[in-house]
Amino acid sequence: MTLMVLGADGYLGWPLVMRFAMKYDEPVVGIDNFSRRRRVWEMGSDSITPVQDMAVRTSVFKQITGREIKFEHGDMRDYEFVENLIKKYKPRAVVHFAEIPSAPYSMIDAKHAIETHENNVNGTLNLLFALKKFAPDCHLIKLGTMGEYGTPGIDIPEGSFEIDYRGRKATLPFPRQAGSFYHQTKVHDSNNIMLACKIWGIASTDIMQGVVYGTRTEETTLDPRLVTRFDVDESFGTAVNRFCAQSIINMPVTPYGKGGQTRGYLNIMDTMRCITTLVDKPPQKGEYRVVNQLTEVFSVLQIAQKVKDVGDKLGLNVKIESLQNPRVEAEEHYYNVDYKKLKDLGFTPSKTMDESITYMLFDLLPHKQRIIEHKEQITPKITWKDGLVK
Ligand SMILES: NC(=O)c1ccc[n+]([C@@H]2O[C@H](COP(=O)([O-])OP(=O)(O)OC[C@H]3O[C@@H](n4cnc5c(N)ncnc54)[C@H](O)[C@@H]3O)[C@@H](O)[C@H]2O)c1
């Protein structure tokens, strides 16, 4: 049997193929079309950590560990490619990361919104049809996002909730309220996967993932050439990572608006551990299982303060400067989310954000010059109302 990672060149995909290769005695196959690299360049930026080509990555990994990662270059939008892939490997589990992961990118204009929809929704549909045909018992682990739920103002359950309506009770999918065209693609994916589980008996875990941060995993630290990418531009950099980069170059850390936007977060090492937990404990055939994947909940202002506290101790003299919010979102809201299922399956968090920020700053310091070179791309120019404002 084979384990497959779609999006194996990405921030999470590269560490995951290495983790799989170390943990399991089964063939590990990674797939990517390298579009993340191209899109970050399109934004005028680059990974702050200098990432190697896939051929170098896999051969260095093999030299150091003796373990093998197979790589197939291809595009999830191409049904023939996806079908041949699933037919060839008949995976036991496939982790689907291969989507465009950026809300701002999807809000630039019609072209970018449609590109994000075509890439994400069509890629997932191609995969579902190929699995049905050639690997109907495969466990599909799909990356959705906590952003699918939005900020509904009531407690957020894991996927579904019980409702009592006009005297009848039912368990129904919890309403999804996306806040960008990117988040909307994940909602469409969730609906398509739920349907495929119901009608074709596919077993799937749909992960509502919180915001991931961090610079290292067990395997990326084995050699500098195994590092994963780390982006700081407004589209592809996530909050904690961007704040750490800002503090390294004495640029003020910039929460948007009031900074009360509250979200779930987890360290990249814990992401790896969550996913291996899910691989080891698959759902039943035909089951559509939703897990909320996060370990801590913070407001953006709390994160800015954490980065300041750690940075100041290291002598970085960090300032916090709120920016006008380019997004349309609640800046203060109720947020109480369940995240129990992964713990029930055996996952225990290993890292807190407080301890992670210290080593993130240490890991980023050697790349200070690269952050300075891409400083302009950190500040937002894409607004939810007017798209890219030059
Ligand atoms: N990083 C986070 O904080 C976070 C939070 C919630 C959800 N997610 C989701 O997790 C997944 C992985 O996130 P990431 O940060 O590693 O993103 P990423 O962009 O670094 O990784 C995705 C990879 O998939 C590849 N890809 C995209 N479209 C493809 C296609 N059509 N065919 C083949 N390859 C394709 C890209 O080149 C990239 O290497 C994404 O689906 C993202 O939406 C990420």
Side-chain angles (χ1 to χ4, degrees), residues 7 9-13 32-36 39 74-77 97-101 119 143-145 182 186 209-212 229 238:
D9 189 51
Y11 174 57
L12 302 178
D32 211 292
N33 66 352
F34 304 118
S35 55
R36 165 71 175 239
R39 290 194 179 96
D75 195 319
M76 293 302 296
R77 289 171 299 186
F97 285 140
E99 298 201 333
I100 301 175
N119 190 80
L143 267 291
T145 156
Y182 152 69
K186 298 289 190 181
Q209 181 166 251
V211 183
V212 184
R229 60 180 310 117
T238 50

PDB file of all heavy atoms in Angstrom, residues 7 9-13 32-36 39 74-77 97-101 119 143-145 182 186 209-212 229 238, ligand 1:
ATOM      1  N   GLY A   7       0.500  18.023  -3.189  1.00  0.00           N
ATOM      2  CA  GLY A   7       0.987  19.334  -2.723  1.00  0.00           C
ATOM      3  C   GLY A   7       2.267  19.176  -1.919  1.00  0.00           C
ATOM      4  O   GLY A   7       2.509  19.888  -0.946  1.00  0.00           O
ATOM      5  N   ASP A   9       5.321  19.856  -2.431  1.00  0.00           N
ATOM      6  CA  ASP A   9       6.390  20.868  -2.468  1.00  0.00           C
ATOM      7  C   ASP A   9       6.054  22.045  -1.547  1.00  0.00           C
ATOM      8  O   ASP A   9       6.824  22.991  -1.435  1.00  0.00           O
ATOM      9  CB  ASP A   9       6.556  21.373  -3.920  1.00  0.00           C
ATOM     10  CG  ASP A   9       7.779  22.253  -4.093  1.00  0.00           C
ATOM     11  OD1 ASP A   9       8.876  21.831  -3.668  1.00  0.00           O
ATOM     12  OD2 ASP A   9       7.639  23.372  -4.635  1.00  0.00           O
ATOM     13  N   GLY A  10       4.888  22.002  -0.893  1.00  0.00           N
ATOM     14  CA  GLY A  10       4.409  23.167  -0.146  1.00  0.00           C
ATOM     15  C   GLY A  10       4.919  23.262   1.277  1.00  0.00           C
ATOM     16  O   GLY A  10       5.670  22.402   1.754  1.00  0.00           O
ATOM     17  N   TYR A  11       4.485  24.298   1.938  1.00  0.00           N
ATOM     18  CA  TYR A  11       4.877  24.585   3.334  1.00  0.00           C
ATOM     19  C   TYR A  11       4.614  23.371   4.243  1.00  0.00           C
ATOM     20  O   TYR A  11       5.472  22.981   5.026  1.00  0.00           O
ATOM     21  CB  TYR A  11       4.075  25.810   3.794  1.00  0.00           C
ATOM     22  CG  TYR A  11       4.229  26.185   5.258  1.00  0.00           C
ATOM     23  CD1 TYR A  11       5.474  26.455   5.805  1.00  0.00           C
ATOM     24  CD2 TYR A  11       3.100  26.294   6.081  1.00  0.00           C
ATOM     25  CE1 TYR A  11       5.607  26.813   7.149  1.00  0.00           C
ATOM     26  CE2 TYR A  11       3.217  26.654   7.417  1.00  0.00           C
ATOM     27  CZ  TYR A  11       4.474  26.910   7.946  1.00  0.00           C
ATOM     28  OH  TYR A  11       4.595  27.266   9.274  1.00  0.00           O
ATOM     29  N   LEU A  12       3.435  22.773   4.108  1.00  0.00           N
ATOM     30  CA  LEU A  12       3.109  21.615   4.940  1.00  0.00           C
ATOM     31  C   LEU A  12       3.426  20.293   4.242  1.00  0.00           C
ATOM     32  O   LEU A  12       3.763  19.305   4.892  1.00  0.00           O
ATOM     33  CB  LEU A  12       1.613  21.633   5.309  1.00  0.00           C
ATOM     34  CG  LEU A  12       1.125  22.886   6.043  1.00  0.00           C
ATOM     35  CD1 LEU A  12      -0.371  22.795   6.312  1.00  0.00           C
ATOM     36  CD2 LEU A  12       1.889  23.068   7.346  1.00  0.00           C
ATOM     37  N   GLY A  13       3.307  20.276   2.905  1.00  0.00           N
ATOM     38  CA  GLY A  13       3.454  19.025   2.164  1.00  0.00           C
ATOM     39  C   GLY A  13       4.867  18.464   2.223  1.00  0.00           C
ATOM     40  O   GLY A  13       5.044  17.250   2.373  1.00  0.00           O
ATOM     41  N   ASP A  32       3.180  17.388  -7.030  1.00  0.00           N
ATOM     42  CA  ASP A  32       3.041  18.855  -7.020  1.00  0.00           C
ATOM     43  C   ASP A  32       3.218  19.380  -8.449  1.00  0.00           C
ATOM     44  O   ASP A  32       3.792  18.701  -9.301  1.00  0.00           O
ATOM     45  CB  ASP A  32       4.109  19.500  -6.108  1.00  0.00           C
ATOM     46  CG  ASP A  32       3.617  20.775  -5.460  1.00  0.00           C
ATOM     47  OD1 ASP A  32       3.409  21.784  -6.189  1.00  0.00           O
ATOM     48  OD2 ASP A  32       3.421  20.785  -4.235  1.00  0.00           O
ATOM     49  N   ASN A  33       2.701  20.581  -8.692  1.00  0.00           N
ATOM     50  CA  ASN A  33       2.955  21.235  -9.985  1.00  0.00           C
ATOM     51  C   ASN A  33       3.799  22.506  -9.796  1.00  0.00           C
ATOM     52  O   ASN A  33       3.924  23.289 -10.727  1.00  0.00           O
ATOM     53  CB  ASN A  33       1.632  21.560 -10.705  1.00  0.00           C
ATOM     54  CG  ASN A  33       0.810  22.601  -9.963  1.00  0.00           C
ATOM     55  OD1 ASN A  33       1.135  22.975  -8.841  1.00  0.00           O
ATOM     56  ND2 ASN A  33      -0.261  23.076 -10.586  1.00  0.00           N
ATOM     57  N   PHE A  34       4.323  22.695  -8.598  1.00  0.00           N
ATOM     58  CA  PHE A  34       5.204  23.839  -8.260  1.00  0.00           C
ATOM     59  C   PHE A  34       4.533  25.196  -8.421  1.00  0.00           C
ATOM     60  O   PHE A  34       5.195  26.215  -8.561  1.00  0.00           O
ATOM     61  CB  PHE A  34       6.518  23.777  -9.069  1.00  0.00           C
ATOM     62  CG  PHE A  34       7.244  22.479  -8.872  1.00  0.00           C
ATOM     63  CD1 PHE A  34       7.477  21.628  -9.950  1.00  0.00           C
ATOM     64  CD2 PHE A  34       7.657  22.084  -7.610  1.00  0.00           C
ATOM     65  CE1 PHE A  34       8.114  20.411  -9.764  1.00  0.00           C
ATOM     66  CE2 PHE A  34       8.298  20.858  -7.408  1.00  0.00           C
ATOM     67  CZ  PHE A  34       8.531  20.030  -8.485  1.00  0.00           C
ATOM     68  N   SER A  35       3.197  25.228  -8.398  1.00  0.00           N
ATOM     69  CA  SER A  35       2.506  26.492  -8.635  1.00  0.00           C
ATOM     70  C   SER A  35       2.628  27.449  -7.451  1.00  0.00           C
ATOM     71  O   SER A  35       2.539  28.655  -7.612  1.00  0.00           O
ATOM     72  CB  SER A  35       1.035  26.234  -8.964  1.00  0.00           C
ATOM     73  OG  SER A  35       0.429  25.472  -7.941  1.00  0.00           O
ATOM     74  N   ARG A  36       2.835  26.914  -6.245  1.00  0.00           N
ATOM     75  CA  ARG A  36       3.015  27.816  -5.092  1.00  0.00           C
ATOM     76  C   ARG A  36       4.254  28.690  -5.313  1.00  0.00           C
ATOM     77  O   ARG A  36       4.233  29.882  -5.070  1.00  0.00           O
ATOM     78  CB  ARG A  36       3.161  26.998  -3.815  1.00  0.00           C
ATOM     79  CG  ARG A  36       3.701  27.745  -2.609  1.00  0.00           C
ATOM     80  CD  ARG A  36       2.692  28.747  -2.038  1.00  0.00           C
ATOM     81  NE  ARG A  36       3.169  29.363  -0.829  1.00  0.00           N
ATOM     82  CZ  ARG A  36       2.558  29.302   0.353  1.00  0.00           C
ATOM     83  NH1 ARG A  36       1.434  28.670   0.481  1.00  0.00           N
ATOM     84  NH2 ARG A  36       3.044  29.917   1.402  1.00  0.00           N
ATOM     85  N   ARG A  39       3.337  31.365  -7.805  1.00  0.00           N
ATOM     86  CA  ARG A  39       2.391  32.388  -7.329  1.00  0.00           C
ATOM     87  C   ARG A  39       3.061  33.347  -6.347  1.00  0.00           C
ATOM     88  O   ARG A  39       2.738  34.526  -6.322  1.00  0.00           O
ATOM     89  CB  ARG A  39       1.147  31.740  -6.718  1.00  0.00           C
ATOM     90  CG  ARG A  39       0.282  31.069  -7.775  1.00  0.00           C
ATOM     91  CD  ARG A  39      -1.112  30.706  -7.311  1.00  0.00           C
ATOM     92  NE  ARG A  39      -1.801  30.094  -8.434  1.00  0.00           N
ATOM     93  CZ  ARG A  39      -1.894  28.769  -8.628  1.00  0.00           C
ATOM     94  NH1 ARG A  39      -1.377  27.919  -7.762  1.00  0.00           N
ATOM     95  NH2 ARG A  39      -2.510  28.302  -9.699  1.00  0.00           N
ATOM     96  N   GLY A  74       2.820  16.877 -11.596  1.00  0.00           N
ATOM     97  CA  GLY A  74       1.564  16.908 -12.346  1.00  0.00           C
ATOM     98  C   GLY A  74       0.569  17.858 -11.714  1.00  0.00           C
ATOM     99  O   GLY A  74       0.791  18.375 -10.614  1.00  0.00           O
ATOM    100  N   ASP A  75      -0.522  18.057 -12.440  1.00  0.00           N
ATOM    101  CA  ASP A  75      -1.498  19.071 -12.039  1.00  0.00           C
ATOM    102  C   ASP A  75      -2.833  18.410 -11.678  1.00  0.00           C
ATOM    103  O   ASP A  75      -3.388  17.657 -12.492  1.00  0.00           O
ATOM    104  CB  ASP A  75      -1.684  20.043 -13.216  1.00  0.00           C
ATOM    105  CG  ASP A  75      -2.389  21.312 -12.780  1.00  0.00           C
ATOM    106  OD1 ASP A  75      -3.343  21.236 -11.982  1.00  0.00           O
ATOM    107  OD2 ASP A  75      -1.977  22.388 -13.243  1.00  0.00           O
ATOM    108  N   MET A  76      -3.328  18.706 -10.509  1.00  0.00           N
ATOM    109  CA  MET A  76      -4.587  18.113 -10.045  1.00  0.00           C
ATOM    110  C   MET A  76      -5.782  18.540 -10.911  1.00  0.00           C
ATOM    111  O   MET A  76      -6.841  17.939 -10.835  1.00  0.00           O
ATOM    112  CB  MET A  76      -4.849  18.492  -8.586  1.00  0.00           C
ATOM    113  CG  MET A  76      -3.870  17.908  -7.597  1.00  0.00           C
ATOM    114  SD  MET A  76      -3.811  16.108  -7.646  1.00  0.00           S
ATOM    115  CE  MET A  76      -5.462  15.695  -7.123  1.00  0.00           C
ATOM    116  N   ARG A  77      -5.619  19.582 -11.712  1.00  0.00           N
ATOM    117  CA  ARG A  77      -6.723  20.004 -12.585  1.00  0.00           C
ATOM    118  C   ARG A  77      -6.857  19.087 -13.805  1.00  0.00           C
ATOM    119  O   ARG A  77      -7.832  19.160 -14.542  1.00  0.00           O
ATOM    120  CB  ARG A  77      -6.499  21.446 -13.059  1.00  0.00           C
ATOM    121  CG  ARG A  77      -6.686  22.461 -11.958  1.00  0.00           C
ATOM    122  CD  ARG A  77      -6.251  23.827 -12.392  1.00  0.00           C
ATOM    123  NE  ARG A  77      -4.837  23.847 -12.742  1.00  0.00           N
ATOM    124  CZ  ARG A  77      -4.150  24.923 -13.059  1.00  0.00           C
ATOM    125  NH1 ARG A  77      -4.742  26.098 -13.064  1.00  0.00           N
ATOM    126  NH2 ARG A  77      -2.871  24.859 -13.360  1.00  0.00           N
ATOM    127  N   PHE A  97      -3.339  18.391  -0.006  1.00  0.00           N
ATOM    128  CA  PHE A  97      -2.962  19.778   0.310  1.00  0.00           C
ATOM    129  C   PHE A  97      -2.980  20.656  -0.946  1.00  0.00           C
ATOM    130  O   PHE A  97      -2.787  21.866  -0.848  1.00  0.00           O
ATOM    131  CB  PHE A  97      -1.494  19.827   0.777  1.00  0.00           C
ATOM    132  CG  PHE A  97      -1.191  19.347   2.160  1.00  0.00           C
ATOM    133  CD1 PHE A  97      -0.039  18.597   2.402  1.00  0.00           C
ATOM    134  CD2 PHE A  97      -1.983  19.686   3.230  1.00  0.00           C
ATOM    135  CE1 PHE A  97       0.293  18.178   3.675  1.00  0.00           C
ATOM    136  CE2 PHE A  97      -1.660  19.266   4.513  1.00  0.00           C
ATOM    137  CZ  PHE A  97      -0.522  18.514   4.739  1.00  0.00           C
ATOM    138  N   ALA A  98      -3.106  20.021  -2.136  1.00  0.00           N
ATOM    139  CA  ALA A  98      -2.746  20.700  -3.392  1.00  0.00           C
ATOM    140  C   ALA A  98      -3.778  21.721  -3.852  1.00  0.00           C
ATOM    141  O   ALA A  98      -4.431  21.551  -4.886  1.00  0.00           O
ATOM    142  CB  ALA A  98      -2.499  19.651  -4.474  1.00  0.00           C
ATOM    143  N   GLU A  99      -3.911  22.777  -3.078  1.00  0.00           N
ATOM    144  CA  GLU A  99      -4.848  23.838  -3.449  1.00  0.00           C
ATOM    145  C   GLU A  99      -4.165  25.192  -3.302  1.00  0.00           C
ATOM    146  O   GLU A  99      -3.099  25.300  -2.693  1.00  0.00           O
ATOM    147  CB  GLU A  99      -6.096  23.746  -2.565  1.00  0.00           C
ATOM    148  CG  GLU A  99      -6.817  22.407  -2.778  1.00  0.00           C
ATOM    149  CD  GLU A  99      -8.273  22.411  -2.361  1.00  0.00           C
ATOM    150  OE1 GLU A  99      -8.640  23.201  -1.471  1.00  0.00           O
ATOM    151  OE2 GLU A  99      -9.045  21.615  -2.939  1.00  0.00           O
ATOM    152  N   ILE A 100      -4.801  26.211  -3.832  1.00  0.00           N
ATOM    153  CA  ILE A 100      -4.298  27.580  -3.622  1.00  0.00           C
ATOM    154  C   ILE A 100      -4.804  27.997  -2.240  1.00  0.00           C
ATOM    155  O   ILE A 100      -6.014  28.017  -2.013  1.00  0.00           O
ATOM    156  CB  ILE A 100      -4.818  28.539  -4.712  1.00  0.00           C
ATOM    157  CG1 ILE A 100      -4.370  28.057  -6.102  1.00  0.00           C
ATOM    158  CG2 ILE A 100      -4.348  29.971  -4.438  1.00  0.00           C
ATOM    159  CD1 ILE A 100      -4.939  28.884  -7.258  1.00  0.00           C
ATOM    160  N   PRO A 101      -3.881  28.326  -1.304  1.00  0.00           N
ATOM    161  CA  PRO A 101      -4.320  28.501   0.084  1.00  0.00           C
ATOM    162  C   PRO A 101      -4.514  29.956   0.522  1.00  0.00           C
ATOM    163  O   PRO A 101      -4.514  30.225   1.716  1.00  0.00           O
ATOM    164  CB  PRO A 101      -3.147  27.881   0.854  1.00  0.00           C
ATOM    165  CG  PRO A 101      -1.959  28.227   0.009  1.00  0.00           C
ATOM    166  CD  PRO A 101      -2.421  28.293  -1.412  1.00  0.00           C
ATOM    167  N   ASN A 119      -8.874  25.726  -9.606  1.00  0.00           N
ATOM    168  CA  ASN A 119      -7.789  24.891  -9.071  1.00  0.00           C
ATOM    169  C   ASN A 119      -8.304  24.010  -7.928  1.00  0.00           C
ATOM    170  O   ASN A 119      -8.097  22.795  -7.917  1.00  0.00           O
ATOM    171  CB  ASN A 119      -6.651  25.781  -8.568  1.00  0.00           C
ATOM    172  CG  ASN A 119      -5.409  24.975  -8.233  1.00  0.00           C
ATOM    173  OD1 ASN A 119      -4.642  24.597  -9.114  1.00  0.00           O
ATOM    174  ND2 ASN A 119      -5.216  24.682  -6.950  1.00  0.00           N
ATOM    175  N   LEU A 143      -7.571  18.843   3.315  1.00  0.00           N
ATOM    176  CA  LEU A 143      -7.360  20.049   4.114  1.00  0.00           C
ATOM    177  C   LEU A 143      -8.386  21.111   3.789  1.00  0.00           C
ATOM    178  O   LEU A 143      -8.384  21.700   2.706  1.00  0.00           O
ATOM    179  CB  LEU A 143      -5.941  20.594   3.861  1.00  0.00           C
ATOM    180  CG  LEU A 143      -4.887  20.099   4.837  1.00  0.00           C
ATOM    181  CD1 LEU A 143      -5.097  20.674   6.224  1.00  0.00           C
ATOM    182  CD2 LEU A 143      -4.869  18.570   4.923  1.00  0.00           C
ATOM    183  N   GLY A 144      -9.278  21.312   4.739  1.00  0.00           N
ATOM    184  CA  GLY A 144     -10.172  22.459   4.707  1.00  0.00           C
ATOM    185  C   GLY A 144      -9.611  23.485   5.677  1.00  0.00           C
ATOM    186  O   GLY A 144      -8.437  23.421   6.046  1.00  0.00           O
ATOM    187  N   THR A 145     -10.430  24.396   6.114  1.00  0.00           N
ATOM    188  CA  THR A 145      -9.928  25.436   7.015  1.00  0.00           C
ATOM    189  C   THR A 145     -10.998  25.826   8.035  1.00  0.00           C
ATOM    190  O   THR A 145     -12.201  25.758   7.734  1.00  0.00           O
ATOM    191  CB  THR A 145      -9.480  26.696   6.231  1.00  0.00           C
ATOM    192  OG1 THR A 145      -9.539  27.834   7.073  1.00  0.00           O
ATOM    193  CG2 THR A 145     -10.353  26.965   5.022  1.00  0.00           C
ATOM    194  N   TYR A 182     -11.513  32.347  -1.555  1.00  0.00           N
ATOM    195  CA  TYR A 182     -10.694  31.168  -1.226  1.00  0.00           C
ATOM    196  C   TYR A 182     -11.440  30.277  -0.233  1.00  0.00           C
ATOM    197  O   TYR A 182     -11.590  29.067  -0.450  1.00  0.00           O
ATOM    198  CB  TYR A 182      -9.339  31.602  -0.636  1.00  0.00           C
ATOM    199  CG  TYR A 182      -8.748  30.575   0.298  1.00  0.00           C
ATOM    200  CD1 TYR A 182      -8.279  29.352  -0.183  1.00  0.00           C
ATOM    201  CD2 TYR A 182      -8.680  30.798   1.678  1.00  0.00           C
ATOM    202  CE1 TYR A 182      -7.755  28.384   0.683  1.00  0.00           C
ATOM    203  CE2 TYR A 182      -8.164  29.851   2.545  1.00  0.00           C
ATOM    204  CZ  TYR A 182      -7.703  28.644   2.043  1.00  0.00           C
ATOM    205  OH  TYR A 182      -7.195  27.701   2.897  1.00  0.00           O
ATOM    206  N   LYS A 186     -13.190  26.025  -0.196  1.00  0.00           N
ATOM    207  CA  LYS A 186     -13.090  24.939   0.786  1.00  0.00           C
ATOM    208  C   LYS A 186     -14.488  24.461   1.193  1.00  0.00           C
ATOM    209  O   LYS A 186     -14.691  23.282   1.482  1.00  0.00           O
ATOM    210  CB  LYS A 186     -12.324  25.423   2.019  1.00  0.00           C
ATOM    211  CG  LYS A 186     -10.878  25.840   1.731  1.00  0.00           C
ATOM    212  CD  LYS A 186     -10.005  24.644   1.430  1.00  0.00           C
ATOM    213  CE  LYS A 186      -8.539  24.993   1.384  1.00  0.00           C
ATOM    214  NZ  LYS A 186      -7.657  23.881   1.079  1.00  0.00           N
ATOM    215  N   GLN A 209      -8.682  23.172   9.463  1.00  0.00           N
ATOM    216  CA  GLN A 209      -7.376  23.467  10.049  1.00  0.00           C
ATOM    217  C   GLN A 209      -7.281  24.926  10.481  1.00  0.00           C
ATOM    218  O   GLN A 209      -7.697  25.826   9.761  1.00  0.00           O
ATOM    219  CB  GLN A 209      -6.271  23.151   9.043  1.00  0.00           C
ATOM    220  CG  GLN A 209      -4.873  23.420   9.590  1.00  0.00           C
ATOM    221  CD  GLN A 209      -3.782  22.809   8.743  1.00  0.00           C
ATOM    222  OE1 GLN A 209      -3.137  21.856   9.130  1.00  0.00           O
ATOM    223  NE2 GLN A 209      -3.584  23.369   7.578  1.00  0.00           N
ATOM    224  N   GLY A 210      -6.703  25.127  11.658  1.00  0.00           N
ATOM    225  CA  GLY A 210      -6.401  26.480  12.105  1.00  0.00           C
ATOM    226  C   GLY A 210      -5.185  27.011  11.368  1.00  0.00           C
ATOM    227  O   GLY A 210      -4.628  26.346  10.490  1.00  0.00           O
ATOM    228  N   VAL A 211      -4.762  28.201  11.734  1.00  0.00           N
ATOM    229  CA  VAL A 211      -3.603  28.818  11.071  1.00  0.00           C
ATOM    230  C   VAL A 211      -2.336  28.139  11.588  1.00  0.00           C
ATOM    231  O   VAL A 211      -2.143  28.015  12.792  1.00  0.00           O
ATOM    232  CB  VAL A 211      -3.549  30.334  11.370  1.00  0.00           C
ATOM    233  CG1 VAL A 211      -2.400  30.981  10.616  1.00  0.00           C
ATOM    234  CG2 VAL A 211      -4.879  30.990  11.044  1.00  0.00           C
ATOM    235  N   VAL A 212      -1.492  27.694  10.652  1.00  0.00           N
ATOM    236  CA  VAL A 212      -0.267  26.982  11.031  1.00  0.00           C
ATOM    237  C   VAL A 212       0.903  27.968  11.056  1.00  0.00           C
ATOM    238  O   VAL A 212       1.002  28.836  10.199  1.00  0.00           O
ATOM    239  CB  VAL A 212       0.038  25.844  10.029  1.00  0.00           C
ATOM    240  CG1 VAL A 212       1.254  25.052  10.481  1.00  0.00           C
ATOM    241  CG2 VAL A 212      -1.172  24.922   9.879  1.00  0.00           C
ATOM    242  N   ARG A 229       9.433  25.854   3.036  1.00  0.00           N
ATOM    243  CA  ARG A 229       9.319  27.257   2.646  1.00  0.00           C
ATOM    244  C   ARG A 229       8.718  28.083   3.783  1.00  0.00           C
ATOM    245  O   ARG A 229       8.028  27.550   4.671  1.00  0.00           O
ATOM    246  CB  ARG A 229       8.537  27.429   1.361  1.00  0.00           C
ATOM    247  CG  ARG A 229       7.110  26.912   1.381  1.00  0.00           C
ATOM    248  CD  ARG A 229       6.432  27.145   0.037  1.00  0.00           C
ATOM    249  NE  ARG A 229       6.580  28.511  -0.403  1.00  0.00           N
ATOM    250  CZ  ARG A 229       7.234  28.884  -1.505  1.00  0.00           C
ATOM    251  NH1 ARG A 229       7.780  28.004  -2.294  1.00  0.00           N
ATOM    252  NH2 ARG A 229       7.326  30.173  -1.828  1.00  0.00           N
ATOM    253  N   THR A 238       1.280  33.675   6.641  1.00  0.00           N
ATOM    254  CA  THR A 238       0.198  33.672   7.640  1.00  0.00           C
ATOM    255  C   THR A 238       0.624  34.520   8.847  1.00  0.00           C
ATOM    256  O   THR A 238       1.810  34.815   9.023  1.00  0.00           O
ATOM    257  CB  THR A 238      -0.150  32.233   8.068  1.00  0.00           C
ATOM    258  OG1 THR A 238       1.054  31.559   8.415  1.00  0.00           O
ATOM    259  CG2 THR A 238      -0.845  31.479   6.962  1.00  0.00           C
TER     260      THR A 238
HETATM  261  N1  LIG B   1      -0.791  26.868   6.158  1.00  0.00           N
HETATM  262  C1  LIG B   1      -1.895  27.151   6.848  1.00  0.00           C
HETATM  263  O1  LIG B   1      -1.875  27.916   7.828  1.00  0.00           O
HETATM  264  C2  LIG B   1      -3.208  26.511   6.475  1.00  0.00           C
HETATM  265  C3  LIG B   1      -4.335  26.725   7.282  1.00  0.00           C
HETATM  266  C4  LIG B   1      -5.543  26.113   6.936  1.00  0.00           C
HETATM  267  C5  LIG B   1      -5.628  25.316   5.807  1.00  0.00           C
HETATM  268  N2  LIG B   1      -4.519  25.137   5.016  1.00  0.00           N
HETATM  269  C6  LIG B   1      -4.637  24.286   3.840  1.00  0.00           C
HETATM  270  O2  LIG B   1      -3.626  23.294   3.891  1.00  0.00           O
HETATM  271  C7  LIG B   1      -3.145  22.999   2.586  1.00  0.00           C
HETATM  272  C8  LIG B   1      -1.629  23.134   2.544  1.00  0.00           C
HETATM  273  O3  LIG B   1      -1.275  24.454   2.934  1.00  0.00           O
HETATM  274  P1  LIG B   1       0.170  25.017   2.700  1.00  0.00           P
HETATM  275  O4  LIG B   1       0.328  26.184   3.591  1.00  0.00           O
HETATM  276  O5  LIG B   1       1.156  23.904   2.746  1.00  0.00           O
HETATM  277  O6  LIG B   1       0.041  25.540   1.185  1.00  0.00           O
HETATM  278  P2  LIG B   1       1.102  25.480  -0.003  1.00  0.00           P
HETATM  279  O7  LIG B   1       0.633  26.403  -1.061  1.00  0.00           O
HETATM  280  O8  LIG B   1       2.481  25.713   0.528  1.00  0.00           O
HETATM  281  O9  LIG B   1       0.994  23.969  -0.492  1.00  0.00           O
HETATM  282  C9  LIG B   1       0.125  23.537  -1.494  1.00  0.00           C
HETATM  283  C10 LIG B   1       0.957  22.855  -2.559  1.00  0.00           C
HETATM  284  O10 LIG B   1       0.071  22.344  -3.548  1.00  0.00           O
HETATM  285  C11 LIG B   1       0.583  22.636  -4.832  1.00  0.00           C
HETATM  286  N3  LIG B   1      -0.562  22.744  -5.743  1.00  0.00           N
HETATM  287  C12 LIG B   1      -1.532  23.685  -5.758  1.00  0.00           C
HETATM  288  N4  LIG B   1      -2.388  23.460  -6.751  1.00  0.00           N
HETATM  289  C13 LIG B   1      -1.969  22.336  -7.378  1.00  0.00           C
HETATM  290  C14 LIG B   1      -2.447  21.598  -8.477  1.00  0.00           C
HETATM  291  N5  LIG B   1      -3.520  21.987  -9.177  1.00  0.00           N
HETATM  292  N6  LIG B   1      -1.773  20.481  -8.848  1.00  0.00           N
HETATM  293  C15 LIG B   1      -0.663  20.070  -8.174  1.00  0.00           C
HETATM  294  N7  LIG B   1      -0.158  20.752  -7.127  1.00  0.00           N
HETATM  295  C16 LIG B   1      -0.809  21.870  -6.732  1.00  0.00           C
HETATM  296  C17 LIG B   1       1.354  23.934  -4.679  1.00  0.00           C
HETATM  297  O11 LIG B   1       2.378  24.078  -5.650  1.00  0.00           O
HETATM  298  C18 LIG B   1       1.925  23.811  -3.265  1.00  0.00           C
HETATM  299  O12 LIG B   1       3.226  23.296  -3.266  1.00  0.00           O
HETATM  300  C19 LIG B   1      -3.871  23.939   1.638  1.00  0.00           C
HETATM  301  O13 LIG B   1      -4.955  23.262   1.046  1.00  0.00           O
HETATM  302  C20 LIG B   1      -4.375  25.039   2.540  1.00  0.00           C
HETATM  303  O14 LIG B   1      -5.538  25.644   2.044  1.00  0.00           O
HETATM  304  C21 LIG B   1      -3.317  25.715   5.325  1.00  0.00           C
END
